[in-house]
Amino acid sequence: MSLRNNPMWTKLADREKRLVIGLGIFLVTALLYSLIWAPIQNGFTEKTAALQKAESDWLWLVEQAPKAMASQGNHSASKLRLHSKTALMDALQKSLRQQKLLESAEGLNLNNRGVTVSFEQVDAPRLFRWVAALEQQGLTAKSMELIPISTGVTKAEIAFEVAK
């Protein structure tokens, strides 16, 4: 049914027809704005704010990384400074006991510069956790020889030296 043939529309004056058409255009525009443009604009504003926050967080992290590395380096290097073979042997035995590897160790042998730890069969993941824990304390292995026996089991010989 067309508006021109509608009896209510034909009874309206020209001024009223223009007002009804203007109101229809206004309502369609308001509807399009509230359903389409406003959500897009709000989403854009939120994403822009999130991006700015992420950028500021990233810059803060970049500033903190050297500080953290410096403090970690100073902290870990000062933890274990062993200047005698007996102190090194004690520290290794203590860490082996903590990681429950002392019973797997075939021997802790003194050599001319430090201590060699030997394993005939040891759980490889546990061994690597032990070595990583020692490195976090500032004690690094001078040499390491690993021979795989089976999946997750290895033969190992690790040499540690006294700090100079």
Side-chain angles (χ1 to χ4, degrees):
M1 182 171 180
S2 172
L3 257 172
R4 292 180 189 220
N5 296 336
N6 190 339
M8 287 182 58
W9 180 257
T10 55
K11 289 182 184 177
L12 294 175
D14 286 342
R15 181 173 182 259
E16 291 171 340
K17 288 179 184 177
R18 283 192 303 255
L19 286 173
V20 170
I21 291 172
L23 178 63
I25 292 172
F26 173 76
L27 290 175
V28 168
T29 305
L31 186 67
L32 289 175
Y33 175 79
S34 65
L35 293 178
I36 297 173
W37 182 255
I40 291 172
Q41 185 66 31
N42 289 341
F44 177 75
T45 304
E46 290 172 4
K47 298 300 180 195
T48 303
L51 176 65
Q52 289 175 348
K53 183 182 181 323
E55 286 175 345
S56 68
D57 289 349
W58 175 254
L59 290 175
W60 181 82
L61 282 173
V62 168
E63 290 174 3
Q64 298 305 312
K67 295 175 187 175
M69 294 302 289
S71 68
Q72 183 182 18
N74 294 340
H75 187 60
S76 66
S78 64
K79 271 189 178 177
L80 273 181
R81 280 284 197 211
L82 306 172
H83 295 287
S84 72
K85 292 179 189 179
T86 56
L88 177 61
M89 177 79 82
D90 290 341
L92 289 173
Q93 285 177 341
K94 181 180 175 187
S95 66
L96 283 167
R97 202 171 295 115
Q98 287 173 345
Q99 293 290 331
K100 297 182 177 35
L101 285 172
L102 191 58
E103 59 275 356
S104 300
E106 284 295 314
L108 277 81
N109 303 316
L110 292 173
N111 57 31
N112 58 350
R113 303 199 66 183
V115 177
T116 302
V117 183
S118 302
F119 299 93
E120 283 300 315
Q121 284 189 332
V122 65
D123 182 46
R126 185 176 286 178
L127 176 72
F128 294 136
R129 280 192 299 270
W130 173 65
V131 172
L134 289 175
E135 286 181 353
Q136 287 176 348
Q137 294 175 0
L139 184 62
T140 57
K142 185 67 178 170
S143 68
M144 181 183 297
E145 183 180 338
L146 300 173
I147 301 170
I149 296 173
S150 65
T151 304
V153 179
T154 187
K155 177 180 179 178
E157 186 170 296
I158 306 168
F160 295 93
E161 288 187 357
V162 175
K164 295 176 184 179

